[in-house]
Amino acid sequence: MATKMEELASEPAWTPVKLRAPQRSGLEERFAATDPTLELSRHPLVARILKNRKFQFLLILPNQIVFWTVISIGLAGTVDPGLNFGTAITWYVWFCLVFVMMVVVGRAWCAMCPFGGFAEWVQRRALFRRTQKALGLGLKFPEPLARFGFVLPVASFLILTWIEEFFNIAGPGTPAYTSWMVVGIVSAALLFFLVFERRTFCRYVCPLTTLIGTVGSVGSVAGFRTRDRDVCLSCKTKDCMRGSEDGYGCPWYTWPGSADSNLYCGLCSECYKSCPEGNVGLFLQKPLTSVIAPRRRRIDVAWGIALLWGLVLYQQFNATSAFAPVDNWLNSTLHFPHYPDPVDYLGFIAIGASIVAAVSWAVGRGFASRAVGFVRTGHFLDRSSRFRAFFAPVAYGLIPVVGADYFARQLPKFLQSAPRVVPAIEHIFGFSSTKSSLYSFSLMTNGWIVVTQVAVVLLGTAAAAWATWKIAGRELVPVSRNAIGVRVATVTFALACGAAAAFLYVLMHAAD
Ligand code: SF4
Ligand code: SF4
Ligand code: SF4
């Protein structure tokens, strides 16, 4: 009987293609490009800090204090959002800093996040001790929902952003709204932590997780990885996943033995503490490694990136003068009270995501080898998987420009208003007012803010073009008829995305 490969090879090919057997397999070859070599935890001081059970607690504690202060002052403090510490710190500083952490480090914010941190303390019934019995039901997240991967958290991010826009929370508007939003997030986190096991909320639901995970893959911290994958293969205990006396099993369901990016490492250090072989370390990597190098591209991540791209384009467009008439017309037609109309909100996002999908489809249709066969990665490429084979690499390549676009969106609030945090702090103690010189002090003029935004986007665009060139060379060229054509087409798309974002920033005139 003919083997599958022979059957496929005998199918008529529209253009000749050389069938190649998969290249050398094995751990070394599979992970060579993703395995970082620079280990931070080789330094004795770093190793001691990471082994200490108070490591993550001490990261979370200061944020926990700020977080409860934000809630209290948002509810009880002044109604002036520029002078209220809750709104000032959240919208003028915090969101921007989270983006800096993502781009430079990865999931640094997740390591110190008060939402997940607070819920985890309750779930574990401890601030930092290793307890053996968790509070709550400890259920597994339903498999059909888990299959949505990064798409489910994008849906919760879209809902949260729509609510935020509808009530003008991040404007910033009424300070109490900011408090209620934060209370809503931590309540949802607590509920999930008490119903489901580990950090199900962080992995499958948190509105921020897709954004932090994808944009964070640009960062230079590879996360906690295994030192020798062969040791993991023969390891009998798998304590990094199951937990030991010294540490919890990975709260993020990530096995260091197979991790090839920093996407799902919450930098909690539990695997470092629990591995009995001392086979886990904290590693650094070159920027963009977790975007370019992984061989396993996930379709849920690709859709997550495409939808996030649609959202940021919507936010940019709604800051231009062309947007209001569209939204007003839709609201009067659909009898919706005010901005943002859900139809144009979801419509824009869908269009943005569809453009990424449509371009991927068109590139696949235009360049894919029409013969069927083994490709260099050892996967089959047939017509039904053609879209997936092109969509995932194209979407991953856009991560740097999508990340840069979100970061540039935060700049006006930071550069125009961050100094207000000082009078807002003074106001807690009964000093200061809107007459403080820092209340109306901007770090930059609007003209320079636009220049900075465009520069940030262009930097992201250059990184996206580079990432796309590398990804296309490794993953699309082997399945394409025209090696140069497929690279040029995908890189041109990345450049066009960046050009569109930069152009919108010019039109926005530093509007936030
Ligand atoms: S995924 Fe969300 S809740 Fe979990 S640590 Fe990260 S930001 Fe916090
Ligand atoms: S416990 Fe250590 S050696 Fe065993 S699988 Fe986990 S990281 Fe590998
Ligand atoms: S246990 Fe290890 S792999 Fe899992 S999130 Fe924590 S640091 Fe990352």
Side-chain angles (χ1 to χ4, degrees):
M1 210 172 102
T3 64
K4 179 83 176 159
M5 194 173 165
E6 285 163 350
E7 274 173 28
L8 293 168
S10 66
E11 282 187 11
W14 300 329
T15 53
V17 70
K18 197 174 163 200
L19 292 179
R20 276 175 290 201
Q23 287 191 334
R24 184 167 64 97
S25 61
L27 294 177
E28 196 192 314
E29 192 270 338
R30 183 167 165 200
F31 290 108
T34 59
D35 275 352
T37 48
L38 189 54
E39 188 186 337
L40 213 54
S41 46
R42 286 278 175 213
H43 193 285
L45 181 63
V46 178
R48 248 200 11 247
I49 292 171
L50 295 176
K51 275 283 179 203
N52 194 315
R53 283 231 53 87
K54 291 188 186 132
F55 162 68
Q56 196 178 16
F57 167 74
L58 291 174
L59 285 180
I60 293 171
L61 185 64
N63 290 297
Q64 204 67 251
I65 294 167
V66 174
F67 156 79
W68 289 105
T69 310
V70 164
I71 292 178
S72 319
I73 296 188
L75 291 173
T78 172
V79 291
D80 179 343
L83 209 55
N84 186 295
F85 175 75
T87 38
I89 190 85
T90 305
W91 303 118
Y92 300 146
V93 177
W94 171 73
F95 221 54
C96 198
L97 284 186
V98 170
F99 274 95
V100 174
M101 278 192 269
M102 281 184 224
V103 173
V104 178
V105 178
R107 281 196 184 268
W109 171 251
C110 291
M112 59 182 75
C113 164
F115 312 132
F118 175 73
E120 196 170 60
W121 291 351
V122 176
Q123 185 197 53
R124 290 178 174 174
R125 304 196 284 196
L127 297 177
F128 48 80
R129 266 185 319 114
R130 167 70 166 115
T131 52
Q132 295 297 335
K133 201 164 179 320
L135 190 67
L137 303 177
L139 301 181
K140 294 213 177 307
F141 198 54
E143 184 58 29
L145 289 177
R147 283 213 195 102
F148 282 97
F150 264 175
V151 174
L152 210 56
V154 171
S156 62
F157 187 55
L158 296 186
I159 293 169
L160 188 73
T161 305
W162 187 85
I163 293 171
E164 179 270 297
E165 296 274 358
F166 187 81
F167 291 102
N168 186 31
I169 298 173
T174 310
Y177 290 172
T178 295
S179 301
W180 288 123
M181 193 184 84
V182 176
V183 168
I185 296 173
V186 81
S187 305
L190 192 55
L191 183 71
F192 271 83
F193 273 73
L194 289 177
V195 172
F196 298 103
E197 58 171 3
R198 307 193 189 205
R199 282 187 178 244
T200 293
F201 179 78
C202 297
R203 173 102 191 199
Y204 297 113
V205 184
C206 172
L208 293 176
T209 197
T210 308
L211 191 61
I212 296 181
T214 53
V215 177
S217 61
V218 169
S220 308
V221 173
F224 286 82
R225 301 280 187 89
T226 191
R227 287 174 177 145
D228 182 343
R229 289 183 197 271
D230 287 326
V231 174
C232 291
L233 279 187
S234 57
C235 169
K236 296 273 185 299
T237 64
K238 303 281 190 292
D239 280 349
C240 58
M241 290 300 288
R242 292 146 54 123
S244 70
E245 278 189 6
D246 299 324
Y248 291 89
C250 177
W252 288 74
Y253 308 94
T254 298
W255 183 39
S258 68
D260 62 358
S261 81
N262 63 5
L263 206 67
Y264 275 128
C265 178
L267 302 175
C268 68
S269 77
E270 291 298 338
C271 55
Y272 185 77
K273 294 175 170 76
S274 60
C275 175
E277 309 288 340
N279 193 30
V280 174
L282 174 60
F283 288 88
L284 298 180
Q285 63 186 3
K286 280 192 265 176
L288 296 176
T289 302
S290 287
V291 175
I292 296 171
R295 298 208 157 188
R296 289 171 296 177
R297 304 264 173 224
R298 295 178 44 151
I299 204 75
D300 61 300
V301 174
W303 277 114
I305 297 158
L307 287 163
L308 289 174
W309 174 236
L311 175 61
V312 72
L313 277 187
Y314 165 83
Q315 291 184 319
Q316 283 191 269
F317 187 58
N318 82 22
T320 66
S321 53
F323 176 77
V326 178
D327 197 63
N328 291 341
W329 174 77
L330 269 172
N331 283 333
S332 67
T333 308
L334 301 173
H335 305 291
F336 196 76
H338 62 82
Y339 164 85
D341 191 283
V343 172
D344 62 46
Y345 179 72
L346 292 175
F348 249 95
I349 294 164
I351 290 170
S354 303
I355 289 172
V356 181
V359 168
S360 309
W361 178 84
V363 173
R365 192 172 161 78
F367 292 101
S369 300
R370 297 185 183 184
V372 183
F374 274 118
V375 297
R376 190 164 64 94
T377 53
H379 293 116
F380 285 106
L381 180 68
D382 57 25
R383 285 172 217 173
S384 64
S385 60
R386 186 177 66 196
F387 170 71
R388 189 189 166 106
F390 280 77
F391 177 52
V394 168
Y396 271 72
L398 292 182
I399 289 175
V401 72
V402 174
D405 203 350
Y406 273 92
F407 180 52
R409 278 281 296 135
Q410 313 311 316
L411 287 176
K413 278 201 183 85
F414 179 79
L415 295 171
Q416 289 164 350
S417 309
R420 286 185 181 184
V421 171
V422 177
I425 292 172
E426 290 171 348
H427 194 266
I428 299 173
F429 301 100
F431 309 111
S432 186
S433 69
T434 51
K435 294 194 182 70
S436 162
S437 57
L438 286 174
Y439 185 85
S440 42
F441 181 76
S442 291
L443 296 172
M444 242 182 223
T445 62
N446 283 352
W448 278 108
I449 290 174
V450 175
V451 171
T452 310
Q453 287 176 304
V454 171
V456 166
V457 170
L458 292 183
L459 200 63
T461 308
W466 167 250
T468 303
W469 179 262
K470 299 291 281 183
I471 293 170
R474 205 187 60 215
E475 294 168 36
L476 300 183
V477 166
V479 295
S480 298
R481 288 171 289 163
N482 182 338
I484 294 293
V486 77
R487 279 181 135 175
V488 169
T490 48
V491 168
T492 303
F493 178 57
L495 292 173
C497 288
F503 179 64
L504 282 168
Y505 280 116
V506 175
L507 293 185
M508 287 161 65
H509 297 302
D512 58 28

